[in-house]
Amino acid sequence: MKAKPMLPEADRPHLPRRSRRLPDTILAAVHRACDEGRLDLAGKLLAVGEEAMAAEADLRRRRQDIWGLIAAYERLWHLRQSAALAPEALLSGRWGFTAGLALAAAEG
């Protein structure tokens, strides 16, 4: 059997490189959106990631993907919780009325 001659680079058909599976790419995009503070976009990407993972035929891969999905949901939840705890929220709700008064008096 003869080996096929190699075509020059310019004559080769362009084939896209696939370094990651679609669910992995979506999870990477979720983490990037979280890094950039775009939490609404991260939530939407997680929903798309769920769909991509649900289409996975291999149950072992799907089980592995779910752990990454859970970690991404946890990260998004923590980021949303810390964003909700703005200084204004701390003065009125969490620390109580007297602590809020004391902080307000110290600032003013």
Side-chain angles (χ1 to χ4, degrees):
M1 206 177 219
K2 288 186 178 180
K4 289 184 179 181
M6 292 294 292
L7 295 173
E9 188 72 33
D11 295 336
R12 292 183 194 167
H14 176 69
L15 298 175
R17 274 185 71 200
R18 295 185 181 191
S19 59
R20 292 186 179 184
R21 296 172 33 254
L22 182 60
D24 297 333
T25 304
I26 293 171
L27 279 178
V30 168
H31 286 293
R32 181 159 185 180
C34 287
D35 291 343
E36 294 178 4
R38 301 186 65 190
L39 304 183
D40 56 335
L41 180 60
K44 292 174 185 175
L45 285 168
L46 279 171
V48 172
E50 281 186 57
E51 290 181 35
M53 289 175 196
E56 177 68 49
D58 185 10
L59 291 178
R60 286 179 293 173
R61 275 306 293 187
R62 191 184 308 176
R63 191 176 301 122
Q64 291 171 354
D65 290 341
I66 286 173
W67 288 111
L69 186 71
I70 290 170
Y73 267 114
E74 282 185 14
R75 180 178 184 204
L76 181 60
W77 184 86
H78 284 289
L79 288 172
R80 284 180 173 163
Q81 294 303 310
S82 63
L85 292 178
E88 298 83 27
L90 290 175
L91 286 177
S92 62
R94 184 174 174 201
W95 298 103
F97 183 70
T98 56
L101 288 176
L103 286 173
E107 289 177 1

